[in-house]
Amino acid sequence: MRFESPATSKEAVALLASEKGHAYILAGGTDLLVRMKMDLIEPDLIVDIKGIPAMQSINASSTGSRIGAAVSGAELGEHNKLKKLWPGVVEATNLIGSDQIQGRCTMVGNLCNASPAADAVPALIAAGAKAVIVGKNKRRTVAVEKIITGPGQTSLARDEVIEAITLPKRAPRSGDAYLRFIPRTEMDIAVVSAGINLTISRGIVTSARVALGAVAATPLLVPGAARAIIGTKLDDGALDKLAAACSRACKPIDDKRGTIEYRTRVAGVLARRAAKIAYQRAGGA
Amino acid sequence: MAHDYSYTKQKFKVIGTRPERPDGIDKVTGRAKYGADATAPGQLVGLILRSPHAHAIIKKIDTSKAEKLPGVKAVLTCADLPDLTGGNRDLQNILENCMARGRALYDGHAVAAVAAVDAQTAKKALKLIKVQYKALPHVTDVDEAILPGAPIIHDWVFTRGIDPAPTEPSNISQRTQFGHGDVEAGFAKADVIIEKTWKTEQTHQGYIEPHACLASVGPDGSGELWVTTQGHFTFRNVCSSLLGMDVAKLKVTASEIGGGFGGKTHVWMEPVALALSRKANRPVKVVMSREEVFRASGPTSSTSVDVKIGAKKNGVITAASAELRYQGGAFPGIWAMLGAMTSFACYDLKNVKTVGYDILCNRPKVTAYRAPSAPMAAFGVESTMDMLAAEIGMNPLEFRLKNAAKQGTRASYGPVYGPIGIKPTLNAVKNHPHMRARLGKNQGRGMACGFWFNFGGQTCVDLNVGIDGTVSLTVGTIDVGGSRAAISLIAAEELGIPYEQVKTNVADTASLGYNDMTEGSRGTFSTGMATIFAARNAIEVLRERAAKMWDIPVDAVVWENGEARATGKKHGNLPRLTIKQIAAKAGNTGGPIAGHNEVVADNAGVSFASHICDVEVDPETGATRVIRYTVVQDAGKAIHPDYVEGQFQGGAAQGIGWALNEEYIYGDDGRLQNPGFLDYRIPVCSDLPFIDTEILEIPNPNHPYGVRGVGETSIVPPLAAIGNAISNAVGVRMDHVPMSPPRILKALDDATSS
Amino acid sequence: MSAVLVSTTVNGDTVEFACPQDETLLDALRNRVGLTGVKEGCGTGDCGACSITLNGRLVCSCLVLGVEASGNSIETVEGMADGNKLHPLQEKFIEHAALQCGICTPGFLVAAKALLERKPNPTVEEIRYALAGNLCRCTGYDKIVRAVQAAAKEMRKKK
């Protein structure tokens, strides 16, 4: 196995493109090294992206934000401006693993690992985040919900690297939130999760995005759930409709972490709770 | 020399204080050496290949490619471990568990092993071993294993304990029965009877240190083993039997142990490491991965238990019975028997009967886990007790008090109790401020009792007085949680010297006589007892030496406060001789000063606990949080209260994990789906509240200081205490452990819809 | 499998070791640098026994490659004491009997030190969540949390 530490995204792409064997990108390594330990993969090449300046920075502004692919969860959590603009996105990422994991894990790594239960992803989808992708010949920008295509599968080509995540312009009176259910208080993978981003005007929800995790083969954007609360003051009736729409959208499986019945039911519970938090953050009562 | 075991009511000087432990600095600086921390010249890395099948015939193992890989020094299969057990079935089972013999009996069963120059080469070699399996039908559920048509695990297992002896093999390895009186007549007198079936899933001890050892065997049949273990003498005996070595030629040194809780009472890969070393003629280090620990080392049983208790309206229990089915993995065990013995041990019952069925499954060989088998039985019994109390309209604490065992009670498992602590723990609970604390919405309080036998066993110690009068104590029981501090305290107390002048070390198997393992809460109890007797022997020697130095008769010398004092009119004015002064002259007065003791420390003194637990349940998600927890337990005498509290807290925390989240999850393919700390969910720091403790001291009459074992009982009550608390919080009775969020939410739904 | 030479700083000292490129920093520290105070409990980031700081950041060394240490600065439990003076956390862990078997202790100490450097006066809840990545099976965490509280108090006094 070969370890490379390129200085630019272009170099990273070139290394991936020229490798004939199994090549993997290393950011935080909190998934990659586990898969190596469990003998699930045997890399021929590991490309460490942490030395690439374009991937190391955070720019946060109400007109749009950009988070480099190598930024750790801990760094994200220490960025007060970003936290203020996108508390749901930051708290979702900060929920991944322990403080030790936070010292290494990245939002983009969480996305590219492509787990249906990835914590950062529903929050990013709800936020309308986009991935900036660098390829051999071109750059492209793709909505986050288009990246994961199935468990462990992404729409990225083998010689493509996500350089950063962008978050859109933040309208006044907006708020986002992410909640997940885990059996313990820490250290678990989400059994089911919900991310909500909304904007209000005079107490009425004017726009919203709702995303769910661990209820299907990929994290889901649920437009029907957003429709259930748009135009409402998030009264109990609207919340009931939101919960019902979320539960309806679930196509979960029974596994060691939860049952179909449980996930379907609790998806609605979490969406309802997350909506209330987002609403409050947006300045709603 | 005969020693007096009896409790002396002496006033203590250092017993009951809380000095710092002797191994503290090593353990906070990273210097302490655990199982994986040793190295030897020329050492190889050993790895084990394990079955991916729950049950399969091993048709062929082709090791030729692995053997040819450069850097591979030995490849091992069961052919390298011939059966030298002389037909001893228990040893044969251990041998077969260490390495499959023609058949893989569970997912994770070892089938081959390699030793190579480094981990990378060993890993590569494992992949080059080709095993041909023929999958067989499997069974992993305790109740399904005894259904007609279930795959039979062993054709040589015929249920013992049934008359006439069965002629067909069965997955029930033995039936055991305990009790007295006439339960049918007792139930006929009851005003109310509750009868219910309870299930618990399989849990693992979950010690943070994986099994690890460093084995070195030469062509002359001599060897050494460095290993993390709860009992290096037992490991020596078992390994030498399996490998055909002389007991005296295998020296086993126990490393510091990174947790055991029963799981390190049993050999797993240690005989394989020795065999690899013998074959390669090089030291071999084998360290299990976490996945191997879960798949192939000692979990406890999953169980299914029927409990029936009947009582009069006035709260007197008229009869109690239980049928207990315990799954012991792929080899016969005694786990249901222990469950059947402990079920009703807390109560004074006229009519009681328990029947245990030990059952085989395609799961790893079960081994002891802290008060083995008692928590599952207590879950059923203590939950039923609460249901019955509710039915007759009595406070569950008063109901327990009314029926609690006392001195003179004939225990359901046979013996008649001496002075015991069940009523005092219940009264302490009754008076505890925790019982009066206010509860909020969706919160509930529960309590439950627990029992454990405790064990004494074979023990010996050497006590040597150094030339400066300090004392070196050599013991043979592993220190799993601070026992070296406790045992040093005992030596200091008996000799009348400061704690700081005693240092306790754990000897290797070549340096001390045989000691049973640190199990059954026996470490401080039995080694403490042997230490008292060894110290008394040393005091005899010290008196003789003082007499010699003074040139007076030894009868005129008494030992007081660490000094010899001459008595009587004639000698009373002689200046006292300190232990230091006597030790300094030892060379001239008869040589080194020492005390020894070999003892079978019987009558360990049974132990009882009562726990109080508050939970809060989220009715929308089924999530349960323990918000307050109190342990009340009888310690007999707390030698070092910090470590007694630590045992109470640790046991309770393990019980809480078991109650709420921990479980082995097997797929339909018979493979373990969660062999890691990610999905085998032991409690993390943020899951738990502070765990309050109250130590009661009802002296054990059969120990000079009144000590009882304290290590295990605290894992017994939590399952039922939490179940009872959940019932009181949200009105559903959970009959299946772990009481995980999906199970609780389902129970809440079922309750709403019915 | 070509090994590479890694030059790094461990507990303030310059250290060089050669390791295969897919070897974890945990294995390199234990087997090549001789720092066996760094423990492996799981190898998958779930138990925290291998906690170290990498450029001041708390991480699981089992989830870092040895080659990544190159040019960086590592602190382990072996570097906590100041000469023969134990770190207040080390003192309080002994004093409060916050360890039974002690296998998790190095990881807890490193994690608690990282916490107190960031947050000198943490609440009980903050301590519990900050240490949630460190598993202890012996103590039920009670005495560990109390030891961290006591050390925090001691360290605030000294400042």
Side-chain angles (χ1 to χ4, degrees), chain B residues 513-526:
Chain B
Y514 176 82
N515 279 263
D516 282 330
M517 293 187 272
T518 298
E519 62 176 351
S521 300
R522 70 178 287 275
T524 300
F525 168 79
S526 62

PDB file of all heavy atoms in Angstrom, chain B residues 513-526:
ATOM      1  N   GLY B 513       2.521 -21.575  45.998  1.00  0.00           N
ATOM      2  CA  GLY B 513       1.646 -22.727  45.859  1.00  0.00           C
ATOM      3  C   GLY B 513       0.377 -22.382  45.117  1.00  0.00           C
ATOM      4  O   GLY B 513       0.108 -21.224  44.827  1.00  0.00           O
ATOM      5  N   TYR B 514      -0.410 -23.393  44.853  1.00  0.00           N
ATOM      6  CA  TYR B 514      -1.625 -23.249  44.054  1.00  0.00           C
ATOM      7  C   TYR B 514      -2.625 -22.306  44.704  1.00  0.00           C
ATOM      8  O   TYR B 514      -2.852 -22.349  45.912  1.00  0.00           O
ATOM      9  CB  TYR B 514      -2.278 -24.621  43.852  1.00  0.00           C
ATOM     10  CG  TYR B 514      -3.589 -24.528  43.127  1.00  0.00           C
ATOM     11  CD1 TYR B 514      -3.624 -24.425  41.733  1.00  0.00           C
ATOM     12  CD2 TYR B 514      -4.800 -24.499  43.820  1.00  0.00           C
ATOM     13  CE1 TYR B 514      -4.822 -24.310  41.054  1.00  0.00           C
ATOM     14  CE2 TYR B 514      -6.009 -24.384  43.146  1.00  0.00           C
ATOM     15  CZ  TYR B 514      -6.012 -24.287  41.766  1.00  0.00           C
ATOM     16  OH  TYR B 514      -7.200 -24.165  41.098  1.00  0.00           O
ATOM     17  N   ASN B 515      -3.210 -21.469  43.894  1.00  0.00           N
ATOM     18  CA  ASN B 515      -4.327 -20.624  44.316  1.00  0.00           C
ATOM     19  C   ASN B 515      -5.454 -20.766  43.311  1.00  0.00           C
ATOM     20  O   ASN B 515      -5.213 -20.742  42.099  1.00  0.00           O
ATOM     21  CB  ASN B 515      -3.912 -19.152  44.354  1.00  0.00           C
ATOM     22  CG  ASN B 515      -3.165 -18.793  45.630  1.00  0.00           C
ATOM     23  OD1 ASN B 515      -3.752 -18.290  46.576  1.00  0.00           O
ATOM     24  ND2 ASN B 515      -1.871 -19.067  45.649  1.00  0.00           N
ATOM     25  N   ASP B 516      -6.680 -20.878  43.818  1.00  0.00           N
ATOM     26  CA  ASP B 516      -7.826 -20.797  42.920  1.00  0.00           C
ATOM     27  C   ASP B 516      -7.862 -19.409  42.295  1.00  0.00           C
ATOM     28  O   ASP B 516      -7.146 -18.509  42.703  1.00  0.00           O
ATOM     29  CB  ASP B 516      -9.127 -21.069  43.688  1.00  0.00           C
ATOM     30  CG  ASP B 516      -9.346 -22.561  43.939  1.00  0.00           C
ATOM     31  OD1 ASP B 516      -8.894 -23.371  43.106  1.00  0.00           O
ATOM     32  OD2 ASP B 516      -9.971 -22.898  44.962  1.00  0.00           O
ATOM     33  N   MET B 517      -8.769 -19.267  41.333  1.00  0.00           N
ATOM     34  CA  MET B 517      -8.826 -18.003  40.598  1.00  0.00           C
ATOM     35  C   MET B 517      -9.451 -16.898  41.430  1.00  0.00           C
ATOM     36  O   MET B 517     -10.084 -17.148  42.442  1.00  0.00           O
ATOM     37  CB  MET B 517      -9.675 -18.210  39.345  1.00  0.00           C
ATOM     38  CG  MET B 517      -9.027 -19.143  38.363  1.00  0.00           C
ATOM     39  SD  MET B 517      -9.937 -19.206  36.826  1.00  0.00           S
ATOM     40  CE  MET B 517     -11.088 -20.493  37.183  1.00  0.00           C
ATOM     41  N   THR B 518      -9.286 -15.677  40.942  1.00  0.00           N
ATOM     42  CA  THR B 518     -10.056 -14.571  41.499  1.00  0.00           C
ATOM     43  C   THR B 518     -11.433 -14.642  40.858  1.00  0.00           C
ATOM     44  O   THR B 518     -11.668 -14.138  39.763  1.00  0.00           O
ATOM     45  CB  THR B 518      -9.382 -13.224  41.203  1.00  0.00           C
ATOM     46  OG1 THR B 518      -8.099 -13.225  41.822  1.00  0.00           O
ATOM     47  CG2 THR B 518     -10.205 -12.072  41.770  1.00  0.00           C
ATOM     48  N   GLU B 519     -12.336 -15.319  41.527  1.00  0.00           N
ATOM     49  CA  GLU B 519     -13.713 -15.496  41.067  1.00  0.00           C
ATOM     50  C   GLU B 519     -14.558 -15.717  42.308  1.00  0.00           C
ATOM     51  O   GLU B 519     -14.037 -15.936  43.403  1.00  0.00           O
ATOM     52  CB  GLU B 519     -13.820 -16.724  40.144  1.00  0.00           C
ATOM     53  CG  GLU B 519     -13.441 -18.012  40.864  1.00  0.00           C
ATOM     54  CD  GLU B 519     -13.626 -19.263  40.022  1.00  0.00           C
ATOM     55  OE1 GLU B 519     -14.207 -19.183  38.947  1.00  0.00           O
ATOM     56  OE2 GLU B 519     -13.185 -20.329  40.479  1.00  0.00           O
ATOM     57  N   GLY B 520     -15.852 -15.648  42.133  1.00  0.00           N
ATOM     58  CA  GLY B 520     -16.731 -15.881  43.272  1.00  0.00           C
ATOM     59  C   GLY B 520     -16.526 -14.874  44.381  1.00  0.00           C
ATOM     60  O   GLY B 520     -16.769 -15.172  45.553  1.00  0.00           O
ATOM     61  N   SER B 521     -16.058 -13.693  44.052  1.00  0.00           N
ATOM     62  CA  SER B 521     -15.811 -12.631  45.043  1.00  0.00           C
ATOM     63  C   SER B 521     -14.863 -13.119  46.124  1.00  0.00           C
ATOM     64  O   SER B 521     -15.012 -12.783  47.296  1.00  0.00           O
ATOM     65  CB  SER B 521     -17.127 -12.153  45.685  1.00  0.00           C
ATOM     66  OG  SER B 521     -17.990 -11.639  44.722  1.00  0.00           O
ATOM     67  N   ARG B 522     -13.861 -13.919  45.759  1.00  0.00           N
ATOM     68  CA  ARG B 522     -13.042 -14.556  46.772  1.00  0.00           C
ATOM     69  C   ARG B 522     -11.699 -13.880  47.011  1.00  0.00           C
ATOM     70  O   ARG B 522     -11.034 -14.182  48.003  1.00  0.00           O
ATOM     71  CB  ARG B 522     -12.794 -16.026  46.421  1.00  0.00           C
ATOM     72  CG  ARG B 522     -11.882 -16.255  45.226  1.00  0.00           C
ATOM     73  CD  ARG B 522     -11.641 -17.728  44.977  1.00  0.00           C
ATOM     74  NE  ARG B 522     -10.765 -18.328  45.954  1.00  0.00           N
ATOM     75  CZ  ARG B 522      -9.427 -18.307  45.885  1.00  0.00           C
ATOM     76  NH1 ARG B 522      -8.833 -17.708  44.884  1.00  0.00           N
ATOM     77  NH2 ARG B 522      -8.700 -18.886  46.819  1.00  0.00           N
ATOM     78  N   GLY B 523     -11.280 -12.992  46.133  1.00  0.00           N
ATOM     79  CA  GLY B 523      -9.917 -12.461  46.201  1.00  0.00           C
ATOM     80  C   GLY B 523      -9.566 -11.915  47.576  1.00  0.00           C
ATOM     81  O   GLY B 523      -8.680 -12.451  48.263  1.00  0.00           O
ATOM     82  N   THR B 524     -10.247 -10.868  47.997  1.00  0.00           N
ATOM     83  CA  THR B 524      -9.927 -10.241  49.273  1.00  0.00           C
ATOM     84  C   THR B 524     -10.351 -11.121  50.444  1.00  0.00           C
ATOM     85  O   THR B 524      -9.672 -11.178  51.466  1.00  0.00           O
ATOM     86  CB  THR B 524     -10.589  -8.851  49.347  1.00  0.00           C
ATOM     87  OG1 THR B 524     -10.080  -8.065  48.271  1.00  0.00           O
ATOM     88  CG2 THR B 524     -10.296  -8.158  50.660  1.00  0.00           C
ATOM     89  N   PHE B 525     -11.471 -11.827  50.271  1.00  0.00           N
ATOM     90  CA  PHE B 525     -11.931 -12.710  51.358  1.00  0.00           C
ATOM     91  C   PHE B 525     -10.900 -13.791  51.666  1.00  0.00           C
ATOM     92  O   PHE B 525     -10.409 -13.916  52.796  1.00  0.00           O
ATOM     93  CB  PHE B 525     -13.278 -13.352  50.975  1.00  0.00           C
ATOM     94  CG  PHE B 525     -13.667 -14.479  51.884  1.00  0.00           C
ATOM     95  CD1 PHE B 525     -14.213 -14.222  53.131  1.00  0.00           C
ATOM     96  CD2 PHE B 525     -13.466 -15.811  51.506  1.00  0.00           C
ATOM     97  CE1 PHE B 525     -14.544 -15.259  53.996  1.00  0.00           C
ATOM     98  CE2 PHE B 525     -13.794 -16.850  52.358  1.00  0.00           C
ATOM     99  CZ  PHE B 525     -14.324 -16.582  53.599  1.00  0.00           C
ATOM    100  N   SER B 526     -10.540 -14.576  50.667  1.00  0.00           N
ATOM    101  CA  SER B 526      -9.713 -15.751  50.951  1.00  0.00           C
ATOM    102  C   SER B 526      -8.235 -15.394  51.117  1.00  0.00           C
ATOM    103  O   SER B 526      -7.575 -15.887  52.032  1.00  0.00           O
ATOM    104  CB  SER B 526      -9.885 -16.800  49.851  1.00  0.00           C
ATOM    105  OG  SER B 526      -9.453 -16.274  48.629  1.00  0.00           O
TER     106      SER B 526
END
